[in-house]
Amino acid sequence: KTAGAVNLDRAFADVDLDAFVVFSSNAGTWGSGGQAAYAAANAYLDGLAQTRRARGLRATSIAWGAWGGGGLATGAAEEHLRRRGVAPMPVDRAIAALRQAVEQDDTVVAVTDVDWDRFVPAFTSARRRPLIEDIPEVRKALAEMDRARAEAE
């Protein structure tokens, strides 16, 4: 994955492209238990997009969540993600997000279908997570968690 992206970057370094898009994963954005090498490779793709931008070249890295319609997140893997608040995205919504990211010329964007009420408690249990704290649904979930803690005391 990373070697292919590096080779494409080198091959098109002097070409004025309309777009240079790599598919990353949310594993590189917020981690993925038991998949450190996979997470690192995907974080590398996000960094490659930022490096291309710093060189004045086009680049978009999309850190995908699970897609619906088959693929890697089916069966037990899908259930595992759903329990953690990540649902497979309908294919048409994922394609629309891809189109939007490229049209808006984003450098790095994370695209996933998150149930914040499920995701936030586990993701923030050990420490603050500035990555997601500005998302309105996350602020709401954190406030509800704070209220529940206060009531329990």
Side-chain angles (χ1 to χ4, degrees):
K1 187 174 204 171
T2 57
V6 167
N7 287 334
L8 289 170
D9 174 44
R10 289 179 184 152
F12 293 102
D14 297 326
V15 180
D16 184 22
L17 300 173
D18 292 334
F20 182 94
V21 181
V22 293
F23 282 17
S24 170
S25 167
N26 280 323
T29 304
W30 55 52
S32 180
Q35 297 183 344
Y38 180 70
N42 285 287
Y44 180 88
L45 294 179
D46 298 342
L48 176 64
Q50 292 169 334
T51 299
R52 283 184 58 86
R53 289 294 178 144
R55 294 184 348 238
L57 301 172
R58 291 199 181 272
T60 298
S61 180
I62 302 175
W64 292 107
W67 283 49
L72 297 176
T74 58
E78 179 180 346
E79 182 54 33
H80 175 82
L81 290 170
R82 283 187 185 279
R83 281 194 312 269
R84 282 152 184 77
V86 179
M89 294 176 288
V91 173
D92 59 333
R93 289 183 62 202
I95 296 295
L98 168 63
R99 182 177 298 113
Q100 182 179 354
V102 172
E103 287 174 355
Q104 291 182 354
D105 204 24
D106 290 326
T107 302
V108 177
V109 62
V111 179
T112 192
D113 186 354
V114 178
D115 176 346
W116 294 109
D117 291 330
R118 278 192 175 193
F119 185 82
V120 170
F123 191 67
T124 62
S125 64
R127 63 188 171 279
R128 288 186 56 240
R129 301 298 181 142
L131 173 69
I132 62 171
E133 288 176 355
D134 290 337
I135 299 171
E137 294 86 352
V138 172
R139 284 196 303 255
K140 180 181 174 231
L142 289 169
E144 289 173 11
M145 288 169 47
D146 288 344
R147 271 193 299 280
R149 271 192 217 112
E151 290 173 5
E153 293 175 351

